[in-house]
Amino acid sequence: MERVILRNVDREDSHRIDVYLKHGGYQAFRKVLKEFSPQDVIEEIKRSGLRGRGGAGFPTGLKWEFAAADFKEPKYFVCNADEGEPCTFKDRMIIEKDPHALIEGMLIGAYATGCSVGYIYLRGEYPIGKRILLQAIEEARERGFLGENILGSDFSFDIHIHSGAGAYICGEETALIESLEGKRGEPRIKPPFPVNAGFMWKPTVVNNVETLANVPVIIERGAEWYSSIGSPDCPGPKLYSVSGKVKKPGVYELPMGTPLEEIIFEHAGGIKEDRKLKAVFPGGASSCVLTADEIHVKMDFPSLAKAGTMLGSGAVMVLDETDCIVKAALRLLKFFRHESCGKCAPCREGTDWIVRILYRIENGKGSEDDLETIVTISETMENSFCGLGMAAHNPAVSTVKKFRDEYLKHIALKRCPFKE
Ligand code: NAI
Ligand code: SF4
């Protein structure tokens, strides 16, 4: 497939504005300023079918329409670059290799929604990305793409970078906004959604890096062309971060809806040392596990939801026959226990209890009752305040359901069968 999102990344100095301009960069934004009303941009994005690539898949055009319809001022345009989901490293590639595509996407989005101030909330662990983005923003200002009365129009917009400090929860958009306001990063109740009451309680669009990198090319080549890629009900290209026991881990740009089997065995080269595939977490740490028999599934939002899991950020984590499923679930739950912000009890206590139980089972001290307890705790965690707690139990409860025999083996042997 022709590369769309990653079309620029292999060029030498792809992060510099001269290289970007030489290959058609900022033409989409110029076209928008000249030929499109804000409503035209929103219609084009709606017709393209673009859905948010951060993980939830909310229709981008609709989000922009909601923000445009709110006339409180000022309005803010925020790029969520706090890529914290374990094994997710797709946005990093855009930030480091094609930062001007991100800036151009933000410019077009801000024009469409009437935003005058932009923020990139950048993962604290991306210092190279920060340096590159700062340089790119400065270059864009020097060439007149950011600032007052851009390219002689009455549209003004500038972008500032805010670095995160390593908290996973700050990738949740309302916690991100709290953090941007200088407060402790804890989620707010939704609704109201940020499009109406976000940063400083003003209308705020929050879009993921990959989502925004799609925008210039949609304007350049049109919604019809864009929506011909991928699944009809979920179009466009998608970046998949593939890691774990594959021969060629990495970021793969493929049509949305590419079968998981094809991603693992064709693009990522199959399983290391030609071992047997055991399990896959198809959408990051909070997705439900799939067994080797379930990998014919299409990797898009609706197909994975139908399969009882989710696409999330598109982080494909592959386990082979030598991996212990209990240990894998324990690792993921330990991550969530550490990253739970502690605001609500179901998540704060639930993650801790599940870690204790998994630890017990992995170390030969578990009982069959523990499996039912994990299921009960997860039901309570469904009532958590935000998405982190609502999904954190997924790796535990889904592995208990699909790999019950392996859990029972740990309990019967009173040790991990993978440790001799
Ligand atoms: P959500 O479904 O609450 O919202 C998705 C987006 O749509 C938000 O921007 C929200 O403001 C907007 N929205 C939803 N309904 C709306 C309405 N009626 N009016 C206006 N706007 C509306 O999902 P959430 O909690 O924002 O994201 C969850 C996803 O994030 C998960 O699928 C997870 O995979 C992913 N995630 C990604 C990470 C990464 O590093 N990329 C890290 C952690 C989670
Ligand atoms: Fe914090 Fe977890 Fe509750 Fe979200 S679910 S508010 S992360 S404690």
Side-chain angles (χ1 to χ4, degrees), residues 53-58 63 66 82-85 88 90-91 168 171-173 190 193-196 206 208 283 286 310-313 387:
R53 302 302 202 238
F58 192 80
K63 189 184 275 189
F66 288 149
D82 193 52
E83 185 172 52
E85 186 68 18
T88 309
K90 65 185 180 71
D91 293 343
Y168 172 73
E172 196 285 330
E173 59 178 1
K190 291 198 285 193
F193 290 95
V195 283
N196 300 116
V206 184
N208 163 261
S286 41
M310 64 181 186
L311 177 63
S313 57

Side-chain angles (χ1 to χ4, degrees), residues 106-287:
M106 287 182 78
L107 274 163
I108 295 169
Y111 172 83
T113 51
C115 297
S116 53
V117 182
Y119 289 101
I120 298 176
Y121 190 100
L122 181 66
R123 183 166 191 218
E125 294 88 338
Y126 284 173
I128 299 168
K130 183 172 182 180
R131 186 168 47 72
I132 290 172
L133 276 174
L134 281 169
Q135 183 184 50
I137 290 169
E138 206 41 56
E139 286 178 335
R141 281 192 195 124
E142 280 165 11
R143 302 298 175 101
F145 292 113
L146 290 173
E148 296 291 318
N149 302 106
I150 298 173
L151 304 177
S153 70
D154 57 5
F155 171 58
S156 301
F157 182 68
D158 209 343
I159 299 176
H160 311 276
I161 296 186
H162 185 104
S163 290
Y168 172 73
I169 191 57
C170 289
E172 196 285 330
E173 59 178 1
T174 59
L176 181 156
I177 288 167
E178 288 277 300
S179 167
L180 204 54
E181 291 178 358
K183 295 181 240 158
R184 184 188 167 105
E186 283 184 352
R188 294 176 181 170
I189 194 93
K190 291 198 285 193
F193 290 95
V195 283
N196 300 116
F199 184 60
M200 302 297 178
W201 298 99
K202 296 285 197 246
T204 304
V205 179
V206 184
N207 282 146
N208 163 261
V209 173
E210 183 188 342
T211 311
L212 291 166
N214 276 275
V215 169
V217 79
I218 293 173
I219 300 294
E220 241 169 75
R221 299 180 69 170
E224 275 72 38
W225 169 82
Y226 183 86
S227 60
S228 69
I229 304 168
S231 317
D233 50 354
C234 193
K238 174 79 194 98
L239 299 183
Y240 300 101
S241 320
V242 188
S243 67
K245 298 292 183 60
V246 287
K247 289 181 185 162
K248 294 190 291 173
V251 177
Y252 293 94
E253 177 180 341
L254 297 164
M256 182 70 97
T258 301
L260 179 55
E261 187 169 17
E262 181 186 322
I263 296 176
I264 297 172
F265 285 96
E266 284 183 31
H267 304 285
I271 308 301
K272 264 187 186 164
E273 294 173 30
D274 295 320
R275 292 200 197 109
K276 256 174 78 184
L277 171 69
K278 176 171 190 166
V280 189
F281 292 94
S286 41
S287 58

Side-chain angles (χ1 to χ4, degrees), residues 12-31:
E12 197 179 338
D13 287 335
S14 60
H15 60 292
R16 302 305 302 263
I17 197 164
D18 286 331
V19 177
Y20 190 64
L21 288 169
K22 194 171 157 201
H23 294 93
Y26 290 107
Q27 287 304 328
F29 174 59
R30 282 183 187 276
K31 185 170 165 186

